[in-house]
Amino acid sequence: MAGFRLSLQDVKIGIIGLGYVGLPLAVEFARQFPVIGFDISASRIDELKAGRDASREVEPGDLKAASGLTLTNDVSDLSRCNTYIVTVPTPIDKAKNPDLGPLIAASELVGGLLETGDIVIYESTVYPGATEEVCVPVLEHDSGLKHNVDFFTGYSPERINPGDKAHGVTSIKKVTSGSSEDAANFVDLLYSSVIVAGTHKASSIRVAEAAKVIENTQRDVNIALINELAIIFNKLGIDTQEVLKAAGSKWNFLSFSPGLVGGHCIGVDPYYLTHKAQSIGYHPEMILAGRRINDAMGIYVSSQIVKMITRKGGCLKGARVLILGLSFKENCPDIRNTRVVDIIDEMSSYGAIVDVHDPWVDMEQAKEEYGIKLTTELEKGKYDAVVLAVAHREFRDLGARYLRSLCKPNGVLYDVKSVLDSDSVDGRL
């Protein structure tokens, strides 16, 4: 078996996918290495070349300062590379099964470029075994080369937290791995050159894949527990936030809050693990139970709002409802798998007229993805219910008094994120 011989001095990086994960990584690597940043979207490349990042993960100044970064949607430009990093999304389909289409397509693209001595590193979240069972055969088929003889692979799962400026790509410890001992050492050395927080070299690619997929699965299960407790406490007439504050006075109590669980990570990754578990004959009960609870929270919130409107003498048919926030989390424009749409759909099903306002979200994207026309103006005294669904800093700054002014005299103010004082709202999780 031929050994791995690529050194950092010879590295030419090609990053496939310039979204939340790929772009920050490309900018950081470009400080030390020549980097080709590739994305299939021509409009995305044009936007980035103009110094704008719609995801708001990279500041314009940092993007323009990345002199070692070449941006392209031309596959042939990647032929200069010998280190390929795949950062494409790994979503789920309507049946909540893993959709490996983007990952396979990226592997086919790279497979057509691979040369002897190259390495392919995957960052996309997958189930344990996916890199070697799904991606490697594609690479071998399209390149005509043999894995761990002619080319090598690595896996270093992304840990980007969208909208979190305090924890950028370099300040989060990175898990690394490789298909051979030398490849693993190279991957670890490569990431160590830019990750200030350090790295953790896993013993195998499968271990690194498993570590990534359980990170968000653990959060999902814990949030599901708190969501279920919130439902129970609501029925008991107890304020959930007061309970969590009291319980949090113990040193080892884990801090989680109730809410909607969407996005491209926590609301998706558990299904990758459960898919793999079921394929080997094990039915995961706790993980799927957590998913069911979290997926139902939008309907639960809607039921609470409906009850409050009717108790105040309001009529649901034709009621005006304002939803503040559409993105899946605060201070972030990403609307992938946002569970705010569950509240919108449920309230609409009762005959309510729903307006949605989100200063972070692209209006065309909201229309294209969900058929939602965002409203830009907030009119006082107009709404039967105002729902603070996403805690953007703009909404926090407006404050409860202003948000209440948007309601009719007998209107309802509901705080999904529990960021307003309990005595200033009609209900909250």
Side-chain angles (χ1 to χ4, degrees):
M1 179 183 290
F4 182 86
R5 293 185 172 85
L6 189 62
S7 67
L8 289 187
Q9 289 72 29
D10 302 321
V11 163
K12 297 175 182 176
I13 298 174
I15 294 184
I16 293 85
L18 296 176
Y20 283 88
V21 177
L23 182 63
L25 193 67
V27 169
E28 291 303 327
F29 272 131
R31 300 180 192 276
Q32 299 191 39
F33 306 99
V35 176
I36 306 294
F38 172 86
D39 199 283
I40 60 173
S41 171
S43 60
R44 174 65 168 163
I45 295 300
D46 290 341
E47 165 196 300
L48 295 177
K49 284 183 175 180
R52 301 188 306 272
D53 172 26
S55 72
R56 306 193 195 187
E57 289 301 306
V58 175
E59 297 297 328
D62 291 333
L63 188 56
K64 291 180 179 179
S67 57
L69 175 61
T70 300
L71 299 165
T72 184
N73 65 324
D74 186 343
V75 175
S76 64
D77 289 336
L78 290 167
S79 61
R80 296 176 256 163
C81 302
N82 51 28
T83 302
Y84 297 93
I85 302 178
V86 177
T87 59
V88 297
T90 44
I92 53 176
D93 61 21
K94 291 183 178 180
K96 298 179 179 177
N97 293 314
D99 177 5
L100 296 176
L103 195 64
I104 292 172
S107 298
E108 290 172 340
L109 183 153
V110 174
L113 300 167
L114 274 182
E115 295 182 357
T116 300
D118 290 353
I119 186 169
V120 185
I121 304 167
Y122 290 89
E123 290 219 358
S124 307
T125 302
V126 292
Y127 54 77
T131 299
E132 292 156 309
E133 295 166 8
V134 177
C135 300
V136 167
V138 173
L139 294 172
E140 287 186 322
H141 177 271
D142 285 47
S143 68
L145 302 176
K146 187 169 179 58
H147 186 229
N148 277 344
V149 175
D150 303 311
F151 74 94
F152 299 80
T153 53
Y155 185 77
S156 182
E158 60 90 3
R159 279 179 165 170
I160 293 292
N161 187 25
D164 185 354
K165 297 302 182 182
H167 298 92
V169 61
T170 63
S171 61
I172 304 173
K173 196 165 190 175
K174 203 83 160 64
V175 174
T176 66
S177 64
S179 58
S180 72
E181 184 177 352
D182 288 340
N185 289 336
F186 170 82
V187 174
D188 193 67
L189 193 62
L190 178 67
Y191 281 95
S192 294
S193 68
V194 295
I195 304 298
V196 177
T199 60
H200 174 93
K201 186 171 67 174
S203 60
S204 69
I205 287 177
R206 286 166 62 88
V207 167
E209 290 169 327
K212 169 56 184 177
V213 80
I214 71 166
E215 289 176 11
N216 287 325
T217 299
Q218 182 188 63
R219 286 186 56 77
D220 192 45
V221 170
N222 276 288
I223 295 171
L225 170 63
I226 301 300
N227 275 336
E228 188 165 59
L229 292 174
I231 295 172
I232 294 171
F233 295 144
N234 176 264
K235 290 180 177 294
L236 292 172
I238 303 173
D239 187 288
T240 302
Q241 294 301 318
E242 291 298 317
V243 174
L244 294 177
K245 182 178 180 181
S249 63
K250 188 181 180 187
W251 79 93
N252 61 351
F253 184 81
L254 301 180
S255 177
F256 289 92
S257 296
L260 305 177
V261 183
H264 52 92
C265 291
I266 300 179
V268 171
D269 294 354
Y271 289 118
Y272 274 75
L273 184 56
T274 57
H275 168 82
K276 185 63 176 179
Q278 290 169 333
S279 74
I280 57 174
Y282 180 78
H283 181 74
E285 297 185 27
M286 180 178 290
I287 298 172
L288 288 175
R291 282 279 74 236
R292 286 192 295 271
I293 291 171
N294 286 339
D295 278 348
M297 288 306 292
I299 294 176
Y300 172 75
V301 167
S302 299
S303 72
Q304 298 305 297
I305 297 168
V306 166
K307 289 177 182 177
M308 292 174 189
I309 292 175
T310 55
R311 284 171 185 163
K312 288 194 172 189
C315 178
L316 292 175
K317 187 175 178 61
R320 299 303 300 259
V321 177
L322 174 65
I323 307 292
L324 295 173
L326 179 62
S327 61
F328 86 91
K329 66 175 295 187
E330 64 272 11
N331 306 324
C332 168
D334 196 344
I335 59 174
R336 285 179 292 173
N337 193 37
T338 175
R339 302 287 23 114
V340 177
V341 296
D342 297 338
I343 301 177
I344 298 169
D345 291 344
E346 188 71 5
M347 295 304 298
S348 297
S349 73
Y350 284 102
I353 301 169
V354 181
D355 291 340
V356 184
H357 174 69
D358 194 321
W360 281 79
V361 171
D362 181 81
M363 297 187 71
E364 292 184 7
Q365 188 180 16
K367 184 68 175 178
E368 180 180 346
E369 189 76 16
Y370 298 108
I372 295 173
K373 182 180 179 181
L374 295 177
T375 183
T376 57
E377 300 296 329
L378 299 179
E379 186 177 334
K380 292 186 176 182
K382 180 179 181 179
Y383 296 101
D384 296 277
V386 172
V387 184
L388 178 55
V390 184
H392 292 318
R393 55 175 170 261
E394 289 86 347
F395 300 152
R396 288 173 177 258
D397 291 344
L398 288 176
R401 179 176 295 181
Y402 179 84
L403 298 182
R404 174 69 71 181
S405 74
L406 301 175
C407 296
K408 294 177 181 178
N410 63 338
V412 170
L413 177 57
Y414 191 92
D415 182 9
V416 175
K417 297 298 294 183
S418 299
V419 296
L420 305 175
D421 291 337
S422 60
D423 58 1
S424 66
V425 298
D426 296 291
R428 64 178 187 174
L429 278 180

